[in-house]
Amino acid sequence: MLRHSPASPLLSLPGAVPAEGRDEGVAAHYGDLFREQRALAGGAGFVDLSHRGVVTVTGDDRLSWLHLLLTQHVSDLPAGHATEALILTAHGHVEHAMYLVDDGETVWMHVEPGTQGDLLAYLESMKFFYRVETADRTEDFAVVHLPAGSIADVPAGVAVRETSHGRDLFLPRTELESYAAAHGPAMGILAYEALRVEAHRPRLGFETDHRTIPHELGWIGSAVHLQKGCYRGQETVARVQNLGKPPRRLVFLHLDGSDVLLPPPGTPVRLAADGEEGRQLGFVTTSARHHELGPIALALVKRNVPVDAELLAGNTAAAQEVVVEP
């Protein structure tokens, strides 16, 4: 069951246009998409991600217990070290993606909007006799993203995930408006998403479907540790890694800029040589307008699509860049 977070108070800021779909609850933009992208790329401002779910795990066994459940090696995770991890089905398909950090006493993780309820239910079902406590903290804490290069202050006592893409703050929700006033301007989710697509970073529910395995999206290494012990779905991960290739692969698309509309998620991808009536070889997962690159997209295509093939996303010409090797 999806459990959505409260609508952000920052939607009352001047120029705020509400986002739709999975990102409902925060601003799509504040009046100037490209200005917001350029600011984020330059390390300025912040992104309100308060619609994302926040889950915590406390207790003496928290890291050793999570190590048994997640695809990532976390049993010896140093305090303050950011990582990401997946939970797979028994058949190795991606079910949850978590972005986490341990502050020395608590593991903090943020997840896709509305998925925290199902994640928490699974974690609760796996507690057994371990000394752990899990909690949904979405109503109490808001995720705020500071871009790479930002010199904004982090309030004392706030848990922080620091990565090459920036810092994610687990900010008390009651402090969100005051933080925005002190460290603005706020940037919308569309600017954040355009930079995510540029960086080829997959997102659960966007680049994934019910059949997705981690190899298809380049999650091996960043979210899946190949030398750790058993976890649900590990046999599939090992078999594909050692004996085969994933059936699909993530690609980055440069789209023809003459089209007014972006191809929406789910748009069929075909070989340009076969035209719009050709055999479907994949589909668009996320599309965006980038302040420098123009219209871009991520797509999931069959592994055997030639890496130098010109493609069509719907009726839009698309040149591909390899993200996951065939």
Side-chain angles (χ1 to χ4, degrees):
M1 180 179 67
L2 295 183
R3 296 174 60 182
H4 294 286
S5 57
S8 173
L10 303 191
L11 285 171
S12 64
L13 291 177
V17 175
E20 299 178 346
R22 292 188 180 96
D23 288 322
E24 182 180 0
V26 295
H29 61 82
Y30 292 90
D32 192 336
L33 173 62
F34 291 149
R35 177 192 62 78
E36 294 169 33
Q37 280 188 41
R38 287 191 291 269
L40 284 179
F46 71 93
V47 183
D48 175 13
L49 299 179
S50 61
H51 62 318
R52 292 184 64 81
V54 175
V55 172
T56 60
V57 182
T58 55
D60 292 343
D61 296 336
R62 65 190 183 282
L63 292 176
S64 59
W65 175 68
L66 285 171
H67 186 79
L68 299 173
L69 306 178
L70 308 184
T71 57
Q72 188 57 272
H73 196 299
V74 297
S75 60
D76 301 314
L77 186 67
H81 183 83
T83 191
E84 55 189 86
L86 309 174
I87 288 177
L88 307 180
T89 69
H91 297 291
H93 300 134
V94 178
E95 190 169 71
H96 290 285
M98 292 145 290
Y99 302 85
L100 55 92
V101 67
D102 183 80
D103 67 4
E105 296 182 352
T106 301
V107 173
W108 295 81
M109 62 183 77
H110 64 80
V111 298
E112 286 301 319
T115 65
Q116 64 270 20
D118 287 341
L119 172 60
L120 196 65
Y122 172 71
L123 294 178
E124 283 288 317
S125 73
M126 301 300 291
K127 286 171 64 172
F128 302 115
F129 300 108
Y130 288 92
R131 295 170 296 173
V132 294
E133 294 295 332
T134 63
D136 180 354
R137 305 303 306 275
T138 307
E139 292 190 0
D140 302 318
F141 289 89
V143 180
V144 169
H145 175 77
L146 300 177
S150 170
I151 59 173
D153 296 330
V154 176
V158 169
V160 180
R161 290 186 70 254
E162 184 160 3
T163 72
S164 60
H165 304 293
R167 289 173 290 169
D168 296 335
L169 280 55
F170 294 87
L171 190 72
R173 196 171 284 272
T174 55
E175 298 178 14
L176 183 57
E177 289 181 277
S178 61
Y179 188 85
H183 298 91
M187 310 298 172
I189 191 71
L190 289 182
Y192 178 86
E193 282 289 281
L195 299 183
R196 177 182 71 82
V197 173
E198 178 193 17
H200 308 163
R201 290 185 288 132
R203 184 176 169 189
L204 183 79
F206 288 67
E207 278 61 59
T208 68
D209 59 19
H210 68 284
R211 296 189 294 125
T212 301
I213 59 176
H215 310 70
E216 296 177 326
L217 303 185
W219 261 327
I220 302 298
S222 64
V224 178
H225 195 286
L226 294 175
Q227 276 73 53
K228 63 160 290 186
C230 292
Y231 52 87
R232 191 173 71 176
Q234 189 265 346
E235 290 184 1
T236 297
V237 170
R239 184 168 61 250
V240 174
Q241 187 70 21
N242 297 324
L243 301 177
K245 295 284 187 177
R248 303 177 296 181
R249 60 185 180 89
L250 188 69
V251 297
F252 176 79
L253 301 179
H254 291 273
L255 302 172
D256 181 1
S258 63
D259 287 336
V260 175
L261 300 177
L262 290 170
T267 298
V269 172
R270 300 179 171 89
L271 291 176
D274 293 342
E276 295 180 42
E277 301 303 318
R279 182 166 61 96
Q280 181 174 344
L281 302 175
F283 57 92
V284 171
T285 58
T286 307
S287 57
R289 296 193 185 279
H290 191 275
H291 69 286
E292 290 182 341
L293 301 177
I296 56 176
L298 293 173
L300 203 57
V301 300
K302 293 182 181 295
R303 177 173 56 85
N304 59 3
V305 173
V307 297
D308 58 351
E310 294 293 319
L311 303 175
L312 281 178
N315 58 7
T316 300
Q320 63 169 311
E321 286 185 12
V322 174
V323 177
V324 174
E325 295 288 341

